[in-house]
């Protein structure tokens, strides 16, 4: 049985600002990938150089489209508008590739491989121009993501459902404006929290090349980046989302007694055993409305890692509507 969140496609966002010298190699690196099934939006942030002219020849490929903001919005405003424009489907994978960087061979195929295994936020290791080291690491188990060293690389991807219901405030700086700097922290802290750390995967292969230059946000907006970093790490964590799951099991319980409340942990572990991690499972527990009070304290809870007990009422005809 295939997961309801098995990848249905791949959408690439390429945010850029004055990238005329870099955007060609960036797009060439995508075209050279051995995973050809993608669509790509070049999201231009009101460039003042020849970026649009450099992109124009690539628009002959129907997979590639162009959009330019009428006025500069900054990194997160530009990215957020591009994501809204793409409107990814829940199981569509979204990857962000900065317009001044390049993918290395096999990058897209490895991302899609991990997403097909059930992970919903995936990043790879990377090469940093002029440096031997990299930020890419796996998350520390059991430590809230906002309290960890930044361990994501520049090649990051996620499934589209994670954008549904994402609070706009979590992507903003202390003034309430979309982050111009540290926008990557703002977005991926939130996405990992909503997916759950068990649904996040690091690919320990260097599949991205990060270009260092004077216009990088970490240099050009250094003070703002540090201030936003502190602000974003101090925000309350977002709860795990409970709308989209890999699998749903339905349990019809007309008397409200089919489940042992004291054995819910063991029941959850049995469900978990039927679906390998990291797949998520929703148990739709269908009960009569008359039994609502007796189950109110138990529905809407995680009863095993990645297993969620959801309460569903029978309709008037007596059939469950999970």
């Amino acid at each position: 049985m295939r997961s309801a969140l098995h990848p249905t496609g791949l959408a690439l966002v390429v945010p850029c600002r004055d990238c005329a010298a870099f955007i060609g190699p960036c797009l060439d690196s995508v075209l050279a990938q051995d995973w050809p099934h993608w669509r790509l939006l070049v999201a231009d942030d009101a460039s003042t150089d020849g970026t649009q002219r450099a992109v124009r020849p690539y628009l002959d490929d129907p997979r590639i489209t162009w959009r330019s903001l009428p006025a500069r919005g900054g990194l997160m405003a530009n990215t957020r508008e591009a994501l809204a424009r793409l409107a990814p489907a829940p199981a569509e994978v979204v990857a962000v590739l900065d317009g001044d960087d390049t993918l290395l061979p096999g990058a897209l195929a490895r991302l899609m491989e991990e997403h097909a295994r059930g992970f919903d936020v995936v990043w790879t290791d990377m090469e940093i121009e002029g440096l031997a080291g990299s930020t890419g690491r796996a998350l520390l188990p059991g430590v809230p993501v906002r309290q960890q060293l930044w361990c994501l690389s520049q090649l990051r991807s996620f499934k589209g459902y994670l954008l549904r219901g994402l609070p706009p405030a979590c992507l903003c700086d202390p003034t309430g404006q979309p982050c111009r700097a540290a926008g990557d922290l703002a977005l991926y802290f939130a996405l990992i929290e909503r997916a759950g750390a068990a649904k996040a995967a690091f690919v320990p292969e260097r599949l991205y090349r990060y270009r260092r230059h004077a216009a990088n946000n970490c240099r050009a907006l250094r003070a703002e980046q540090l201030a936003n970093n502190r602000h974003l790490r101090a925000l309350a964590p977002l709860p795990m989302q409970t709308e989209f799951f890999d699998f749903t099991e339905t349990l019809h319980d007309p008397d409200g007694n089919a489940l042992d409340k004291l054995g819910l942990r063991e029941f959850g572990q049995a469900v978990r055993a039927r679906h390998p991690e990291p797949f998520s499972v929703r148990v739709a527990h269908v009960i009569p409305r008359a039994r609502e009070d007796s189950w109110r304290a138990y529905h809407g809870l995680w009863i095993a890692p990645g297993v969620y007990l959801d309460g569903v009422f029978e309709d008037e005809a007596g059939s469950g509507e999970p």
Side-chain angles (χ1 to χ4, degrees), residues 29 33 41 77 87 128 155 158 167 173 203 230 236 250 256 277 299 305:
S29 75
Q33 293 292 304
L41 173 63
I128 302 178
L155 181 54
F158 57 92
D173 64 20
V203 177
R230 289 190 293 270
T250 302
E277 295 188 70
H299 288 158

Side-chain angles (χ1 to χ4, degrees), residues 47-88:
S47 288
T48 58
D49 66 352
T51 299
Q52 183 173 9
R53 186 167 56 252
V55 170
R56 191 171 294 123
Y58 294 91
L59 300 180
D60 291 338
D61 189 319
R63 298 172 296 179
I64 300 176
T65 55
W66 161 273
R67 184 276 287 146
S68 186
L69 294 180
R72 187 175 186 180
L75 177 61
M76 183 46 61
N78 182 33
T79 302
R80 190 168 68 179
E81 196 279 342
L83 292 171
R85 183 179 293 259
L86 281 173

Side-chain angles (χ1 to χ4, degrees), residues 98-123:
D98 290 341
D100 52 355
D101 297 335
T102 54
L103 298 178
L104 295 178
L108 298 184
R110 283 294 286 118
L111 290 180
M112 297 302 285
E113 179 182 346
E114 292 303 303
H115 281 287
R117 291 180 57 209
F119 293 104
D120 294 349
V121 183
V122 180
W123 64 99

Side-chain angles (χ1 to χ4, degrees), residues 121-124 137-139 151-153 155-156 192 200-203:
V121 183
V122 180
W123 64 99
T124 76
R137 300 288 191 280
L139 292 174
C151 63
L152 277 67
S153 71
L155 181 54
R156 304 171 288 247
I192 291 172
F202 168 59
V203 177

